[in-house]
Amino acid sequence: MKQICVIGVGYVGLVTAACFADLGNRVIALDINEERVEGLKRGVMPIYEPGLKEVVDHNARSGRLSFTTSYAEGLSGTQFVFIAVGTPSGVDGEADLRYVETVARTIAETMTSPLIIVNKSTVPVGTGDWVADIVKSHQPKPIPFAVVSCPEFLREGSAIGDFTQPHRTVLGSLDRDAAEKVAQLHLPLRAPIVITDLRTAEMIKYASNAFLATKISFINEIANICEALGADVKEVAIGMGYDARIGKAFLDAGLGYGGSCFPKDVKALAYMAAEKGRHPQLLRAVMDINDDRRRTAILHLQDMVGDFRGKLIGLLGLSFKPNTDDMRDAPSITLAQKLLAGGATVRAYDPVAMDVARGLLPQVEMMSDPYTLAEGCDALMVVTEWNEFKQLDLEKIKSLMRRPVIFDGRNIYDPEDMTAMGFSYRGLGRGYNGASDK
Ligand code: UDX
C-alpha cells in the first residue's frame, strides 16, 4: 500500500485525496484550515460536489483516508506528497504563488525521508523548478526529493468522474524515475500517460484550458454574427460538431465562461507571454469576447423590457455553471450588478448556490423556487442551465409573471415553442425567429 499526503482540501485536493484512497492507497489530507479539517473529520464537506461525500465517507470509515492540520503527521511514512493549494490571480493576471511557496518551505523543513513532491495546482511554467529550489534551500539537512508536475483536469460538478475516467494523465519531471513512480499510482485509471519535462507538463495545462476557452469564445463570436444574419447558433454548433476535427464539446454559446479556472488561466497565460515580450493577441481576443457576453445580455434585455428603472427582474440560476455552488467569476454577479445599477429590483433562485451568493449579492432577494421567483416579474433571465429549469411548467411561469419576457442566456429553450406559448423570448445567437438585424 502506497502512502500519499495531499496538501489542500479544496476541490482539487479533496477529490484527489478521496479518489486515491478509493484506489486502495493510504491517504492523509492536510490543510492548515482547522475548521475545514475538523468538519471533514465529522463528515462535513467544505464544498458541494456530486458524489464526493460518499467517496470521502466510505474511505474515511475504511481507515484509508484521514485528515490533519499537522505536517509532521501528514509527511510521516509518506512517499508522495501532492500539492493542491490555490493559485489565485494577481492584479495583472500573474498567478499568486504565496500558498505554494509556504507549502514548499514547510515540506522542506518537515520531511525526514525521501519524497516525491507532485504539483497538481495550476502554476506558471517554471514553478516546478522554483519549488525544487525552495525545498533544497530550506532543508535543514539534504534529503533526496524529486518534483513532478501532474496537472489536474477536473471539472467542477463532475470531478469524481473526471478523476476516475480521465482522458489522460500528464506527468512532467526532470527525474524520469520519479515520474514513472507517479505513473504507477495512476495505472488503475487505465488512461494514456504522457511523461515529459516539468515545464512542458505545466504548459499542457494552460494550453488545454486556453484552447477550451478559445472554443467557447469562438462559438460566442459566431453567435453574435448569427444574430446579425438571422441564423441559429445552436444548430450551427450541431452541424459543426459532427466533424471529428471540430468535435461537439464546448460549442455552447451563451453568457461565456466563468469559474475558478478559465478566466484565471487564460489571463495568466497571456501575462506569461507578455512578460517575455510576446503578443498573445488570440488570448486577448478570447478574453474580450468573453467579457462582452455579459454586456450583450444586458443590452438584449434592455431592448426587450426598456428602461430597467422600477422593473422586477428574476435570475434563474446563480452559480457559474450547473451542479456546483461555485460563484467565482459567475456571470450572475455582473448581470445582477448591472441590473441593480440600472434601477431594477433583482431577485434570484438557484438550487444550491444561494447561500454562497447571499454574501456576494446582498441586494438580491433569494427566492425559494422558480415559481415564487417568477411572480410579478417583468422579465426572467436564464443565467445557469440547471436541468430543473429545462423542465419548468412554462405556462404556469407565464401566468405568474407581470410580463411574459424571458431572456435565455444559456439557450435552453426552443425559440419557436416559446413564441408559440406567448412569451417574448430571446436566446443568444438565435437569429430571432429567422429575422436578421435591420
Ligand atoms: C475547467 C476545465 O474543464 C478543467 O479541465 C480544468 O481543470 C478546470 O477548469 P470548470 O471550470 O469546472 O473546469 O468548468 P467547465 O465545465 O470546463 O466550464 C467552464 C466554463 O465554460 C463554464 O463557465 C461554462 O458555463 C462555460 N462553457 C463551457 C460554455 O460557456 N460553453 C461551453 O460549451 C462549455
Side-chain angles (χ1 to χ4, degrees), residues 11-12 49 122 151-158 162 168 205 208-209 212-213 215-217 219-220 248-263 265 290 294 319-322 324 326 328-331 383-385 410:
Y11 268 104
V12 175
E49 179 63 33
T122 303
E152 56 85 16
F153 298 100
L154 308 176
R155 285 166 303 172
E156 290 178 21
S158 54
D162 288 344
R168 76 307 207 182
K205 169 65 195 243
S208 301
N209 273 0
L212 292 170
K215 240 183 141 180
I216 297 169
S217 281
I219 200 67
N220 280 330
K248 292 183 179 34
F250 281 75
L251 283 182
D252 290 329
L255 292 167
Y257 59 79
S260 65
C261 290
F262 286 176
D265 293 351
N290 199 58
R294 303 173 191 194
S319 54
F320 85 97
K321 66 169 196 176
T324 176
D326 199 334
R328 283 177 286 181
D329 212 339
V383 183
T384 316
E385 66 278 32
R410 298 293 180 180

Side-chain angles (χ1 to χ4, degrees), residues 12-13 83-89 93-100 118-128 130-131 149-154 201-210 260-269 272:
V12 175
I83 303 179
V85 292
T87 52
S89 260
E94 81 283 13
D96 176 348
L97 291 176
R98 82 181 87 154
Y99 303 117
V100 176
V118 189
N119 186 38
K120 275 214 111 30
S121 306
T122 303
V123 290
V125 178
T127 302
W130 175 74
V131 164
S149 162
C150 175
E152 56 85 16
F153 298 100
L154 308 176
E202 290 165 346
M203 188 64 187
I204 288 172
K205 169 65 195 243
Y206 279 106
S208 301
N209 273 0
S260 65
C261 290
F262 286 176
K264 170 170 77 76
D265 293 351
V266 179
K267 212 167 159 193
L269 185 57
M272 282 184 265

Side-chain angles (χ1 to χ4, degrees), residues 314-325:
L315 304 182
L316 274 166
L318 289 163
S319 54
F320 85 97
K321 66 169 196 176
N323 299 321
T324 176
D325 63 353

Side-chain angles (χ1 to χ4, degrees), residues 316 370-371 387-395 397 413:
L316 274 166
Y371 302 100
N387 269 339
E388 66 171 78
F389 299 158
K390 297 175 187 165
Q391 316 295 340
L392 291 180
D393 178 346
L394 289 165
E395 290 290 359
I397 291 279
Y413 300 123

